[in-house]
Amino acid sequence: MPPVALAALLCLAPQAPEAAPTPLARTADASAPAWDRPILADPKAAPTQARAPRMFRDHGVGPTIDTTERPRSAFALDVDTASFGLARAALSRGELPRPAEVRVEEFIEVFAAPPSQTKRGSAPVGIEIDAVASSQRRGYQVVRITAYAHQRAPRPVDVVVAVDVSSAMATPPDLDDAREAVQALGGALTRDDRLALVELSSPPEVLAPLATPPSIADLETATGTLGPAEAPAMSEASLEAAYDLLRSRDPDRDRVLVVIGPGSLPKPAGADPRHAVWSLARAANRRGITTMPVGIGRGFFDDVLLGGLSNAGRGAYVFAHEPSDTGRQLAQTVHAPVVAHDPVLEVEFDPAAVTRYRLLGFESRREPAPTANGQPHAAALRAGGAVTALYEVKLREGAPIAWGQVRLRYTNPETGKASDVVRSLDGLEAGVALADAAAPTQLSVLAAAVAEKLRASYWARRITWSQLRERYDALPEDVRAQPDVARLGDLLDDAASLEDDGTRRVPGRTGRRPFARQPVVR
């Protein structure tokens, strides 16, 4: 049966854990596609969210696939990391994040990195593969596949920062976070770069023209004039004015629009205004402009809009839980030139070697991936960047050395031509203990397990927070000293304390969070 036809038959059905075999295909709701169903916060659930809803899409949890039914797995790579910041923000409020807020691939992406030593080949990208025995599924191996881009010299960049000052940003800490992120970004740019600051109001106001990055004092003065509007301020017209500041095209400079805010839009009757904003970002990207959303918002928050804006503009979507650090990371990102557009990872498992597999995360990006009303699933891999994917695979007894092959498909932005890189899934040793695996593999597996636990995945039902903490403590000391890894340790402690004490709070839900039921084919 073709993959598209098979996907159309799938839905979510409750099943007793001991009675059902491992599911064979992805899940979806029978009445409405999971990827098209917004998740609204209960306004009575927590004081921090009493003003407005928080919009997320529930993409479900990936199943285990039988290779006799579908040996090929393909998905668009994701360079976003917003989910990790959103989870940290929820935990800092004393709440567990909603399952829809947690995307496994974005937790893993925080820690994805190219190999420490790479040789520049004819292709601008490469693939690294490793394997380790699964710690939670007996008889399974976890295969780590990292797609990476070789380093290149940084390029000067024009950056326009557009700050949403709508009523959704009326909370003083939100505006303070926006100011802090802008100042950190401006302070990290070089003398060859140029920066502009735009207030997304009606009409939009240019607070600092596109010019050599202003001094810290001037930037503090410009951001100090940001003030909340009376209504949603982000619109097609206000964003178009921000894009217009980047209309001059210089082949020696990159152009980036950074959109900061909760993603508020006016809600007129008729068509969803998000579609027009996504179309605007797509059109700007065709002119060479990248769009990078930075989520900020303790009240109203539209994750759907910001994620779609990132996809349409081939940018990276982040959530500014630590605004200064976010601004510095943005400056580092925008300096790296794009080397691959629309990267897609395609894995072909050999049924003679692999009986079943499961891709961890990427539920919204599978190919053929569902799209909601034209929302694209696109990304760009930048020089020095990397994306990691994890597969759980079950090998046949006496499996051959080669388990299949991996193909990284992408479009070369310089030539516009499709290209690919192919690696064989061979030379991997089955049964390697997690403690003996390479540090990047240990870290990726841990990040994925934490995300699975937070989103109450069926596949993480037997994992305890103490076990995850033991895995964290087993990481090499120099790895745990890295800032993002230390943040993961803090996240672990915060989540464990909410589970263990009597004060834990899950928005819109009381009592212990149940794990998702096992997805099966109806």
Side-chain angles (χ1 to χ4, degrees):
M1 180 180 295
V4 175
L6 179 62
L9 299 177
L10 307 178
C11 57
L12 184 65
Q15 182 75 36
E18 65 275 6
T22 304
L24 303 181
R26 68 157 289 142
T27 65
D29 187 284
S31 59
W35 51 86
D36 215 11
R37 188 171 64 249
I39 304 301
L40 301 181
D42 182 350
K44 299 179 181 179
T48 56
Q49 298 168 358
R51 292 180 299 280
R54 296 172 71 82
M55 302 290 295
F56 296 87
R57 277 199 178 113
D58 184 3
H59 297 281
V61 175
T64 298
I65 307 293
D66 192 315
T67 54
T68 61
E69 295 288 336
R70 191 187 301 174
R72 176 183 173 276
S73 170
F75 58 96
L77 298 186
D78 187 1
V79 298
D80 298 341
T81 59
S83 181
F84 186 72
L86 284 162
R88 294 180 61 214
L91 291 166
S92 70
R93 298 192 299 265
E95 303 167 355
L96 286 173
R98 296 171 188 79
E101 293 183 58
V102 182
R103 295 180 284 270
V104 175
E105 66 275 12
E106 295 186 15
F107 271 62
I108 299 174
E109 175 61 16
V110 172
F111 309 99
S116 56
Q117 294 182 351
T118 60
K119 294 181 179 180
R120 176 74 181 270
S122 57
V125 299
I127 301 172
E128 184 182 53
I129 302 173
D130 195 9
V132 65
S134 174
S135 301
Q136 62 200 60
R137 297 187 72 179
R138 183 177 301 176
Y140 278 76
Q141 311 297 314
V142 178
V143 178
R144 174 179 67 88
I145 303 173
T146 297
Y148 62 90
H150 294 285
Q151 290 282 1
R152 287 187 178 179
R155 286 168 55 89
V157 61
D158 287 346
V159 181
V160 172
V161 182
V163 181
D164 178 2
V165 295
S166 62
S167 55
M169 286 279 282
T171 304
D174 290 344
L175 278 175
D176 289 343
D177 286 350
R179 295 184 183 104
E180 189 177 342
V182 175
Q183 292 169 19
L185 171 59
L189 295 178
T190 71
R191 293 181 178 179
D192 294 328
D193 303 322
R194 295 187 297 187
L195 175 72
L197 178 62
V198 178
E199 182 181 87
L200 292 180
S201 53
S202 299
E205 183 178 355
V206 178
L207 303 180
L210 188 63
T212 302
S215 66
I216 297 298
D218 290 342
L219 201 52
E220 288 178 351
T221 300
T223 57
T225 62
L226 293 169
E230 297 297 325
M234 184 190 295
S235 65
E236 185 179 3
S238 62
L239 279 176
E240 195 163 15
Y243 281 120
D244 195 49
L245 293 177
L246 294 166
R247 61 185 180 278
S248 298
R249 188 165 196 163
D250 184 340
D252 296 324
R253 307 176 70 88
D254 288 334
R255 295 172 294 164
V256 178
L257 176 68
V258 176
V259 180
I260 299 179
S264 62
L265 283 174
K267 306 295 182 185
D272 189 334
R274 289 179 294 200
H275 303 154
V277 169
W278 294 334
S279 296
L280 188 64
R282 273 197 304 271
N285 189 255
R286 286 193 291 268
R287 301 193 304 271
I289 302 173
T290 299
T291 304
M292 294 190 176
V294 177
I296 289 178
R298 290 165 174 79
F300 175 89
F301 192 79
D302 193 341
D303 178 80
V304 178
L305 169 67
L306 297 176
L309 195 61
S310 170
N311 292 332
R314 288 195 177 109
Y317 167 35
V318 300
F319 184 85
H321 182 56
E322 295 180 358
S324 290
D325 187 65
T326 299
R328 289 188 290 268
Q329 289 181 353
L330 279 172
Q332 182 178 1
T333 300
V334 299
H335 282 127
V338 174
V339 299
H341 276 160
D342 309 323
V344 171
L345 201 65
E346 178 183 306
V347 182
E348 186 82 23
F349 291 104
D350 182 359
V354 177
T355 62
R356 292 176 177 176
Y357 66 89
R358 181 173 80 97
L359 172 63
L360 278 66
F362 293 98
E363 282 85 4
S364 67
R365 290 177 172 263
R366 303 194 180 194
E367 188 188 81
T371 58
N373 299 317
Q375 178 184 350
H377 289 155
L381 195 56
R382 291 176 173 267
V387 178
T388 291
L390 298 179
Y391 279 92
E392 292 176 336
V393 303
K394 187 173 181 61
L395 300 176
R396 292 190 185 277
E397 186 175 351
I401 296 177
W403 301 351
Q405 75 170 15
V406 180
R407 182 186 304 272
L408 175 59
R409 297 188 277 114
Y410 65 96
T411 300
N412 187 317
E414 297 177 356
T415 65
K417 295 182 178 180
S419 303
D420 62 8
V421 174
V422 180
R423 276 279 314 266
S424 176
L425 278 172
D426 60 8
L428 301 175
E429 183 180 352
V432 176
L434 184 60
D436 297 329
T441 301
Q442 292 187 49
L443 191 53
S444 297
V445 172
L446 174 60
V450 171
E452 290 269 78
K453 177 78 170 175
L454 283 174
R455 69 172 178 168
S457 166
Y458 170 85
W459 310 106
R461 66 197 183 282
R462 296 190 180 98
I463 302 176
T464 66
W465 289 112
S466 60
Q467 289 172 334
L468 293 175
R469 183 69 210 193
E470 289 175 1
R471 294 188 198 176
Y472 177 85
D473 291 337
L475 292 170
E477 185 176 354
D478 61 329
V479 173
R480 283 185 280 118
Q482 299 171 13
D484 281 329
V485 181
R487 294 183 183 105
L488 179 63
D490 293 339
L491 183 152
L492 265 170
D493 292 340
D494 291 343
S497 67
L498 290 177
E499 287 279 7
D500 294 338
D501 67 26
T503 62
R504 70 186 296 276
R505 182 170 59 199
V506 180
R509 184 177 295 168
T510 58
R512 181 166 294 278
R513 168 183 290 176
F515 283 96
R517 293 175 182 259
Q518 184 181 28
V520 297
V521 177
R522 175 178 291 173

